[in-house]
Amino acid sequence: MERRQFARIPVSMHLRFKSLEAVEKYIGGQANDVSQGGIFILTPNVRPVGTRVEMEISDSGGREVKLTGEVRSIRYSAGKPSGMGIEFTGLGREAQKLVQELVDFHRRQNPVPNRAAPKALTK
């Protein structure tokens, strides 16, 4: 059963992230999908579920915008961590606007099929 409130839109976008719960430098990662509720980061440098993170993402004008979120899931590949799902938290107006722009732009580039609509039968 799908629990997500927002559709995930495929993206391929570089970003940087760091834990807000430890003193560390930003680490590079690759966004794999984004929605109005969160983002999935491809990286072997995952943080534990529940960790609060800060992300820096550049908008189309080259401005860096900081987004905050919490690690909600970790994905593994061949027994090793390969990425983490982040739920956005505490976004300000500018950050919410950037997320909406990212979702809208990538939705136009990669339309998500309507899963609820039945497939047409042909004879």
Side-chain angles (χ1 to χ4, degrees):
M1 180 171 98
E2 183 66 41
R3 297 180 326 201
R4 289 181 179 83
Q5 183 178 358
F6 304 105
R8 293 181 293 171
I9 309 301
V11 298
S12 180
M13 171 177 70
H14 182 74
L15 58 76
R16 297 176 346 137
F17 69 92
K18 69 177 183 175
S19 169
L20 289 173
E21 298 171 357
V23 177
E24 67 180 14
K25 295 180 181 180
Y26 279 98
I27 299 168
Q30 189 76 16
N32 185 56
D33 64 50
V34 66
S35 77
Q36 290 152 313
I39 194 164
F40 187 85
I41 302 172
L42 291 171
T43 179
N45 301 304
V46 299
R47 298 298 175 260
V49 170
T51 302
R52 294 177 310 124
V53 295
E54 179 177 84
M55 298 154 282
E56 284 187 349
I57 298 177
S58 296
D59 68 6
S60 58
R63 292 177 303 150
E64 284 193 352
V65 178
K66 293 183 192 283
L67 305 173
T68 55
E70 186 173 315
V71 178
R72 292 294 187 197
S73 65
I74 298 173
R75 185 180 300 163
Y76 292 85
S77 178
K80 296 181 180 180
S82 61
M84 57 188 171
I86 310 292
E87 179 181 3
F88 296 133
T89 59
L91 298 184
R93 181 169 289 211
E94 183 178 344
Q96 288 175 351
K97 183 179 174 190
L98 171 66
V99 169
Q100 186 62 54
E101 289 172 1
L102 284 171
V103 168
D104 291 345
F105 173 79
H106 289 286
R107 182 176 282 133
R108 287 189 300 272
Q109 302 300 313
N110 303 300
V112 175
N114 182 356
R115 296 175 199 230
K119 293 183 179 181
L121 299 176
T122 57
K123 289 187 175 187

